[in-house]
Amino acid sequence: MEPLHSPAMLRPWIPLPIAALLLASCSSHDTTSRSGAADSTIAPAAAAVAADSSRAAAPPESAATVATDVTALPAVLPAGSADILAAVHRSKSPAVLVNVWATWCAPCRHEFPDLMKLARTYRNRGLDVILVSADFDDQMPEVRRFLSSQGVDFPTYLKNEEDMKFIDALDKRWTGALPATFVYDAQRNLRSFHEGQSTFEEFEQQVLPIMKPQPTSPKEEHS
Amino acid sequence: MKSRSSAVLTLLALAALATPLAARAEDGAEPEVLAIGAAAPLSDVKMKSVDGREYSIASVAGKKGTLVVFSCNHCPWAKAWETRIVELGNAYAKKGVGVIVVNSNDPEQFPEDAYDAMQTRAKQRGMKYPYVVDATSDVARAFGATHTPEVFLFGADKKLVYHGAVDDNAKDPGQVKEKYLANALQAVVAGKTVAVAQTKSMGCSIKYRAKA
């Protein structure tokens, strides 16, 4: 397993998302469906990856316009489980949500807009969202295009570790099915694990009990 | 009134106990997967195969063992392992292991998993074992299967001896270090204990049909 690039490389991305979120919230959205080419020949997975949503319903209409300039696409860093857990520990937010997804995973793509809505809604209220793609590394262009289409303009990760080690390191209850969501509290204890697609409300149910309570109004705060 | 409430509670308790060991809730809940040592649930349920006939897990059971693989047409990870599954399935079917590959996906969600497409795929790949439609997705539910491909290997005594991945590298057969399923099949045919009984891999979640 390749070690993650030094933490210094990742530090700039922590303050960036605030500006990125402002940009993302202003961007226009198109429904996009990214599909790899279907391959019916006997071929290794590298060539045979086809998004399994090619005939499924398109994701809800909240995706950003696809960026065509590759240099504008968000960085995706190879990472093993230790790197992801280190990123969790490095976060300064009271709650951290890790979501493992893949471009070929239809439920992952369907929940992504709600996941991004969650990230935008709660970024300044104590939630950090870490995204990990389980795509093969030669699918990186697809990964980055999809992330861009979803308004992700902060660095994310691509799993580069063998499945079982990665799965068990995050949670032994995880069977390996995607998507999978893990929520950590301020002490970085794993407080919630969910295997399968979630709605925005279901994501909220996973994170709100763990996040720091926010004052409801200045009057109440100072009463 | 009191006795009626007690009766209702008793019935509910009995119903809970009667639920298959590997009963699985719908997407969103943690699955209860079949445990090592358990028997195959719903083994008498007949499922239509690509050859037009119906097969159950019990009907294909071999003297040496039975291989049940939840797979499908559309999933890239299932496709990645497909050749290896076919090679192993075809080889071990001749060695006394019954083989059945089960597609539990809802073709309404994924037309690529429709019956005619399964027939085409079986022919393309040269499958020499049943590739069947789990018409209600209940067999997958009963097994606690969550994704494709997912392997369940039963021994001669019809107890689960191996559950999990085909091997440790979906992407590149040439880079496989651990041939989990091949090793398990070898052990089963030799009547030996499977050294690595449980493994995991990623895959596409099974697209369950709605419960009737």
Side-chain angles (χ1 to χ4, degrees):
Chain A
M1 180 189 81
E2 287 181 32
L4 184 65
H5 296 283
S6 73
M9 279 189 69
L10 293 170
R11 284 194 197 115
W13 79 267
I14 295 171
L16 273 176
I18 296 172
L21 283 169
L22 291 172
L23 289 171
S25 65
C26 296
S27 63
S28 60
H29 300 292
D30 281 333
T31 300
T32 56
S33 177
R34 311 308 299 164
S35 300
D39 184 347
S40 61
T41 61
I42 299 172
V49 172
D52 65 352
S53 66
S54 57
R55 293 193 184 89
E61 293 180 3
S62 56
T65 304
V66 175
T68 53
D69 178 4
V70 174
T71 60
L73 296 176
V76 181
L77 305 165
S81 52
D83 303 315
I84 301 304
L85 293 173
V88 169
H89 281 270
R90 214 164 36 238
S91 170
K92 302 215 186 312
S93 295
V96 181
L97 180 150
V98 174
N99 181 268
V100 186
W101 66 283
T103 58
W104 43 258
C105 161
C108 303
R109 291 151 62 102
H110 288 163
E111 76 171 7
F112 222 94
D114 278 345
L115 181 58
M116 288 308 298
K117 180 182 171 185
L118 184 88
R120 286 191 294 272
T121 303
Y122 292 104
R123 171 92 51 192
N124 294 332
R125 293 165 64 181
L127 177 68
D128 220 353
V129 173
I130 294 175
L131 303 171
V132 187
S133 166
D135 285 274
F136 297 136
D137 53 10
D138 56 1
Q139 290 298 302
M140 188 67 86
E142 283 284 341
V143 169
R144 295 180 74 196
R145 274 193 289 272
F146 177 78
L147 290 170
S148 179
S149 76
Q150 297 293 311
V152 176
D153 46 10
F154 51 86
T156 65
Y157 299 92
L158 185 101
K159 178 183 83 71
N160 74 339
E161 185 174 72
E162 61 168 344
D163 285 357
M164 194 154 64
K165 185 176 177 186
F166 188 87
I167 293 165
D168 280 346
L170 263 65
D171 195 335
K172 287 196 188 307
R173 293 170 293 174
W174 183 18
T175 66
L178 298 182
T181 302
F182 308 83
V183 183
Y184 301 84
D185 63 19
Q187 288 72 44
R188 302 307 179 232
N189 297 314
L190 177 63
R191 292 280 301 278
S192 169
F193 156 66
H194 179 80
E195 188 175 283
Q197 186 175 337
S198 297
T199 61
F200 177 75
E201 290 71 26
E202 286 165 343
F203 278 128
E204 281 191 312
Q205 284 168 16
Q206 294 168 53
V207 302
L208 287 180
I210 296 160
M211 283 165 53
K212 196 187 292 186
Q214 300 296 315
T216 52
S217 72
K219 198 173 180 183
E220 285 183 48
E221 191 178 8
H222 295 297
S223 63
Chain B
M1 181 66 93
K2 203 172 176 181
S3 61
R4 190 184 297 172
S5 301
S6 299
V8 169
L9 284 171
T10 304
L11 282 170
L12 286 171
L14 286 170
L17 286 170
T19 303
L21 178 67
R24 182 188 181 281
E26 293 300 337
D27 276 348
E30 291 179 28
E32 293 175 28
V33 74
L34 198 65
I36 295 294
L42 299 186
S43 59
D44 291 327
V45 167
K46 290 183 181 168
M47 296 175 278
K48 186 178 179 183
S49 182
V50 292
D51 65 1
R53 297 178 193 166
E54 290 190 325
Y55 300 85
S56 65
I57 292 168
S59 73
V60 303
K63 282 185 183 171
K64 299 281 188 176
T66 309
L67 175 63
V68 180
V69 182
F70 289 91
S71 191
C72 67
N73 271 21
H74 84 274
C75 174
W77 284 56
K79 288 181 188 176
W81 266 305
E82 199 165 57
T83 308
R84 287 169 263 179
I85 292 171
V86 171
E87 283 174 1
L88 287 169
N90 286 353
Y92 278 87
K94 296 179 191 171
K95 297 183 182 181
V97 177
V99 180
I100 188 166
V101 174
V102 182
N103 188 341
S104 301
N105 282 344
D106 180 2
E108 297 281 314
Q109 298 183 50
F110 289 94
E112 200 177 335
D113 282 321
Y115 181 67
D116 56 347
M118 287 172 60
Q119 290 179 302
T120 303
R121 182 65 61 80
K123 205 171 175 179
Q124 282 173 344
R125 293 286 192 258
M127 294 180 192
K128 294 177 182 169
Y129 46 74
Y131 180 23
V132 300
V133 176
D134 176 7
T136 57
S137 305
D138 282 345
V139 176
R141 285 192 183 96
F143 270 72
T146 60
H147 59 288
T148 57
E150 190 169 350
V151 173
F152 294 82
L153 177 63
F154 299 86
D157 60 355
K158 298 184 169 57
K159 304 292 185 203
L160 187 66
V161 294
Y162 175 74
H163 164 235
V166 176
D167 54 48
D168 65 354
N169 197 314
K171 180 182 173 183
D172 190 348
Q175 296 293 320
V176 169
K177 291 176 192 159
E178 299 289 343
K179 296 184 179 182
Y180 301 124
L181 178 55
N183 293 342
L185 283 163
Q186 218 169 12
V188 157
V189 165
K192 294 181 179 174
T193 304
V194 173
V196 178
Q198 294 257 30
T199 60
K200 289 180 181 176
S201 67
M202 290 190 177
C204 309
S205 56
I206 291 177
K207 309 305 186 289
Y208 287 80
R209 293 169 181 75
K211 275 192 173 185

